[in-house]
Amino acid sequence: MASHRRPKQPSRTRVTVLTTAAAAAVALTSQAANAAPSEKPSKDEVKSKVDKLYHESELATDKYNLAKEKQEKLEKEIGTLQDQVARGQDDLNGLRDGLGLMASSQYRTGGIDPSVQLFLSSDPDDYLDKASTMDQLSSQQVETLKKVQAKQRVLAQQRQEAAEKLKDLADTRETLSKKKKEVQGKLADAQKLLNTLTAQEKAALNAEEQRASRSAGDRVELGNEAPASERGAAALAAAKTQMGKPYVSGGSGPNSYDCSGLTQWAYAQAGVSITRTTYTQQNDGTKIGRDQLKPGDLVFFNSLGHVGLYAGNGVIVHAPKPGTVVRMESMSTVGSFQFGVRV
């Protein structure tokens, strides 16, 4: 027979705790409802955040370009090594073919010399060990085989090392690519902030960018400073012809540029090959101080985060950041000067 028990009543302590918790929840809900909405960032705050994210994107892009440049270099080295290994193998095969003819001749005349049997074996190292006790082969044949085998070992080792470096570099590039995507995600968030600005605030920001994008001839006097060299002058002249073209991460011309893509392209027009990124371009010439700068010199800012071409009178030609175009600008507005490099 089922028993009918009276439900257990909550204790006074439990009722008090529940009542207190409910009251607190009501109070918090009321406070949240009555609280003022979070303040929208001002135009200047949005601009500051976006500029910071643009800078991070530029750094990530430059590191990605550096990894890509190293990978391309390794691919060429591996191709060269593979060609060398193939030629070495052909040399060895030629020796074996020659000995094969010798073996055929000996067989027809009554048997194959033991040393020739060893030489035709699949293990040349074993042959060398055993052949050292025999005198039947000429010293020239033995020496040739030793050279080919040594070359094979070196090339095989180089090929393995290059392949390992290439794998490591591919992993690094993948990591950097992920980092770049992460920064691009931050840029998208910043764009969302830009989209919250009023039409008047957006117009004000656009006006600021347009003023910054005007040619330096409308704003500053470049002076008559002598260029660092003929190639420096030619590179600067080439960079000036690209003014107005858009900044694009990874761009290296001729339709768009990032900062180091512009400087590399400009010097290429002057017949000078320099590397692709700010991290390597700093080593493409002689480092100089600010008071030594001359038109055509590379100018680095923000801990190698940015590079441009010195144009004279404290002005550079550069590809500033996403959303802008190649332009002339006072060094004082670009960032923290690091050093110059004379190519």
Side-chain angles (χ1 to χ4, degrees), residues 80-90 152 155-156 159:
T80 299
L81 286 173
Q82 290 174 336
D83 289 342
Q84 292 174 342
V85 170
R87 288 195 296 270
Q89 187 64 52
D90 287 342
Q152 271 193 308
L155 294 177
R159 181 173 58 185

Side-chain angles (χ1 to χ4, degrees), residues 221-250:
E221 175 60 44
L222 294 180
N224 297 313
E225 298 181 42
S229 63
E230 289 185 6
R231 58 179 177 271
L236 176 60
K240 288 180 179 179
T241 67
Q242 302 306 291
M243 290 173 60
K245 292 188 177 181
Y247 178 105
V248 173
S249 294

Side-chain angles (χ1 to χ4, degrees), residues 303-325:
S303 301
L304 294 179
H306 191 68
V307 65
L309 282 165
Y310 187 69
N313 198 28
V315 173
I316 66 169
V317 180
H318 68 148
K321 58 187 178 182
T324 64
V325 298

